[in-house]
Amino acid sequence: MGKTKKVTAGDIEVLVANVDGNFYALDSLCTHYGGDLSEGKLEGNILTCPIHGAKFDVTNGNVVSPPTEPLDRPEIENLPTYPLKIENHGIFIKIL
């Protein structure tokens, strides 16, 4: 199982996911209803929102499974992702 951590980059909360030693940065709020994805479950590269169960691929931010009952948004959009690099034991996230 991978690990996630929510960090602040600039004024944006970003979720950093570690999948088998590969790191990815994406928006930390579920596109469906704003759930905090840092409290979700990461299995492989799939992150499940703790509120309504939407599933996202952390490698690209794509929705792989919407919630069964969309509330405010009938269309679920993909999560924004951010480029990152690892340098001197630090993770640097580029906010575009």
Side-chain angles (χ1 to χ4, degrees):
M1 183 184 303
K3 294 183 179 182
T4 62
K5 181 173 183 165
K6 185 168 53 172
V7 298
T8 301
D11 59 352
I12 298 174
E13 289 187 335
V14 176
L15 185 74
V16 176
N18 177 348
V19 179
D20 297 326
N22 296 305
F23 291 87
Y24 306 94
L26 54 154
D27 199 85
S28 68
L29 294 178
C30 179
T31 58
H32 169 63
Y33 206 61
D36 183 354
L37 293 175
S38 69
E39 297 176 6
K41 185 175 184 180
L42 181 63
E43 295 178 289
N45 61 316
I46 304 301
L47 178 64
T48 303
C49 178
I51 296 179
H52 296 112
K55 295 180 186 287
F56 301 92
D57 183 335
V58 297
T59 66
N60 57 23
N62 289 347
V63 173
V64 295
S65 176
T68 56
E69 298 177 23
L71 297 178
D72 287 345
R73 300 172 67 182
E75 290 183 21
I76 304 295
E77 296 176 9
N78 298 324
L79 290 170
T81 59
Y82 307 99
L84 63 76
K85 69 178 178 176
I86 300 172
E87 190 174 282
N88 297 326
H89 302 289
I91 297 175
F92 298 88
I93 301 166
K94 183 175 184 177
I95 302 299
L96 306 173

